[in-house]
Amino acid sequence: KDTITSPEIKKESFELFVYGSPTISGFSKNKSLLDNRLNNNPISSDVTFSYGAYFCYQGTANFSLRIGLGITNLNLITHDIPVNATDYSNISYNSGISNSFIYSQSNNSEYMKITQEISYIEIPLEAKYRLTHNMFGINAIMGINYLFLNNNEVSAITDNGSKFEIGKTRDLLDRTLGINIGLGFDYNLTKKIKLNVEPMFKYHFKNSQ
């Protein structure tokens, strides 16, 4: 009994760290964010870059809370969209821009791809539970995320290379709520500097009206 060692009990502490992360946007299959006529069109996502900072409270050796502030950038590309068609219902077109205008200005191009660039200001509140106390720490992470719409732009490139700034996605909510779930892996480089790698899954409950 005397030879059993107990885990070190850490005192309460506070940490501040910044992060940057590649981000891949998900989407609902068979439902277009632009128009129901485009539900079967292929959709892809470019890798974007998100960033921010966290303020952390370490309550015990295993459990901590943190609150953050960040910018998440999302990108959705809908392919093979007919140009010579009535305007798409969920795009708020800029003044003077329409599908017929794009058709005439692109030398009667038949198809285009439309890119939606969307960004949110995030305020995440998360709990971390430390699973291991080895040189490399492993943590389970879960929390909620409050989001404010920060940027909403829609652009198009026709199949002959003509580019147009179209407008905005019409029905995006200015505020929404989500959940964050992930794992954290950390390594202490020094007593004051820690390297974190945290793959995260973020789900937004409702983005549009």
Side-chain angles (χ1 to χ4, degrees):
K1 192 172 182 180
D2 293 338
T3 61
I4 297 176
T5 58
S6 299
E8 180 185 357
I9 305 299
K10 294 185 177 180
K11 295 181 180 180
E12 296 179 358
S13 62
F14 298 92
E15 295 179 349
L16 177 68
F17 73 88
V18 297
Y19 69 89
S21 65
T23 304
I24 299 177
S25 311
F27 52 89
S28 299
K29 293 184 177 180
N30 301 322
K31 181 173 175 58
S32 172
L33 295 177
L34 301 175
D35 192 288
N36 288 334
R37 289 173 288 170
L38 305 175
N39 283 347
N40 295 322
N41 285 58
I43 301 175
S44 64
S45 174
D46 289 335
V47 177
T48 57
F49 188 76
S50 302
Y51 54 90
Y54 278 101
F55 179 74
C56 311
Y57 166 69
Q58 186 77 40
T60 69
N62 293 330
F63 184 77
S64 63
L65 290 172
R66 65 187 191 182
I67 188 169
L69 180 65
I71 298 289
T72 292
N73 296 304
L74 307 176
N75 174 289
L76 291 175
I77 305 169
T78 305
H79 301 266
D80 303 331
I81 297 177
V83 180
N84 191 21
T86 56
D87 289 352
Y88 294 111
S89 61
N90 202 32
I91 299 176
S92 179
Y93 288 81
N94 291 332
S95 177
I97 300 294
S98 64
N99 284 356
S100 59
F101 174 83
I102 296 172
Y103 184 67
S104 63
Q105 294 298 309
S106 63
N107 295 320
N108 301 338
S109 183
E110 292 188 32
Y111 293 97
M112 60 183 170
K113 64 179 181 181
I114 291 181
T115 300
Q116 297 164 272
E117 295 182 4
I118 302 166
S119 72
Y120 290 94
I121 298 173
E122 294 187 331
I123 303 178
L125 177 62
E126 298 169 345
K128 291 180 65 176
Y129 185 80
R130 195 167 185 85
L131 301 175
T132 68
H133 289 272
N134 300 324
M135 182 180 296
F136 293 93
I138 302 177
N139 305 275
I141 305 169
M142 187 171 184
I144 59 173
N145 199 5
Y146 198 60
L147 303 105
F148 301 85
L149 184 63
N150 181 53
N151 185 54
N152 176 12
E153 297 180 1
V154 176
S155 60
I157 301 178
T158 62
D159 53 11
N160 64 3
S162 299
K163 298 180 180 180
F164 300 89
E165 298 297 325
I166 296 179
K168 299 180 179 181
T169 305
R170 187 185 299 278
D171 65 355
L172 288 181
L173 294 174
D174 290 334
R175 296 174 179 83
T176 188
L177 191 69
I179 58 171
N180 299 347
I181 301 173
L183 284 175
F185 305 91
D186 60 63
Y187 178 74
N188 290 320
L189 298 175
T190 70
K191 290 184 178 180
K192 294 185 178 182
I193 299 177
K194 180 188 294 183
L195 176 65
N196 287 296
V197 177
E198 297 181 352
M200 297 286 290
F201 170 78
K202 299 183 178 183
Y203 177 78
H204 299 174
F205 291 113
K206 188 177 181 181
N207 287 65
S208 57
Q209 297 177 359

